[in-house]
């Protein structure tokens, strides 16, 4: 009886963990933030791009402070919530900056992204200030 009860409690936890890590991040995602619409694009080569108000930042090559740069992402599926790092690399000097975040899939086409802005630490939980919901459009 104890083994059965243990299975009843542990099995759902394991299923949730597997579901959350099996979703594919690659694609174009549409997000809403205080009435503004923006897009996050994650490609299979590991590049990330953010688009808002007709401007784009990220990808294989973009201009940042008059220097060519690129933005990649690193996803750690082993944590709950999953951790995501956005790595901006200045192409000429090789200098890097990181933006630390967390990510959680609601389902295969909806996710929540929380980011520590302005060089702050990685958030440990989602709140209204640090996170945005995104829906897959491609």
């Amino acid at each position: 009886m104890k083994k059965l009860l243990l299975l009843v409690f542990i099995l759902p936890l394991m299923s949730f963990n597997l579901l959350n890590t099996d979703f594919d991040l690659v694609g174009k995602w549409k997000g809403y933030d205080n009435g503004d619409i923006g897009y996050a694009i994650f490609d299979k080569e590991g590049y990330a791009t953010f688009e808002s108000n007709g401007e784009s930042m990220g990808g294989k090559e973009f201009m940042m402070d008059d220097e060519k740069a690129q933005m990649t992402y690193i996803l750690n599926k082993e944590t709950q919530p999953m951790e995501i790092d956005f790595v901006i690399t200045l192409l000429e000097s090789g200098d890097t900056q990181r933006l630390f975040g967390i990510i959680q899939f609601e389902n295969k086409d909806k996710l929540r992204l929380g980011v520590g802005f302005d060089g702050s630490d990685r958030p440990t939980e989602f709140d209204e200030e640090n996170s945005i919901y995104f829906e897959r459009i491609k």
Side-chain angles (χ1 to χ4, degrees):
M1 183 67 168
K2 287 181 185 180
K3 289 181 183 178
L4 182 60
L5 285 174
L6 187 61
L7 281 176
V8 168
F9 287 108
I10 292 195
L11 215 56
L13 292 174
M14 290 173 58
S15 309
F16 174 75
N17 194 21
L18 288 174
L19 285 175
N20 198 19
T21 60
D22 284 342
F23 293 125
D24 187 13
L25 183 60
V26 173
K28 185 170 185 176
W29 300 81
K30 183 178 187 178
Y32 304 90
D33 184 32
N34 297 324
D36 292 329
I37 297 174
Y39 300 90
I41 303 164
F42 300 94
D43 74 18
K44 55 185 152 191
E45 294 177 32
Y47 293 99
T49 306
F50 292 104
E51 296 176 352
S52 181
N53 298 323
E55 294 188 26
S56 179
M57 178 181 144
K60 291 181 182 180
E61 189 174 296
F62 69 103
M63 295 302 291
M64 185 172 126
D65 299 329
D66 297 324
E67 289 191 55
K68 288 183 181 179
Q70 68 181 16
M71 183 164 55
T72 57
Y73 67 94
I74 301 167
L75 185 63
N76 179 0
K77 294 182 177 183
E78 301 300 317
T79 61
Q80 284 296 327
M82 287 183 275
E83 296 175 347
I84 187 164
D85 292 359
F86 296 97
V87 182
I88 299 171
T89 304
L90 298 176
L91 295 177
E92 191 172 307
S93 67
D95 291 341
T96 62
Q97 298 174 349
R98 285 185 182 246
L99 188 63
F100 301 106
I102 53 177
I103 194 167
Q104 185 170 19
F105 286 93
E106 302 288 319
N107 59 48
K108 71 180 183 73
D109 292 322
K110 186 174 182 180
L111 62 84
R112 190 170 188 185
L113 174 66
V115 177
F117 293 103
D118 299 325
S120 64
D121 294 334
R122 183 185 316 277
T124 56
E125 57 188 37
F126 298 98
D127 62 36
E128 294 301 317
E129 298 297 315
N130 74 9
S131 65
I132 301 172
Y133 283 99
F134 285 89
E135 293 180 2
R136 184 189 309 271
I137 59 172
K138 279 188 182 179

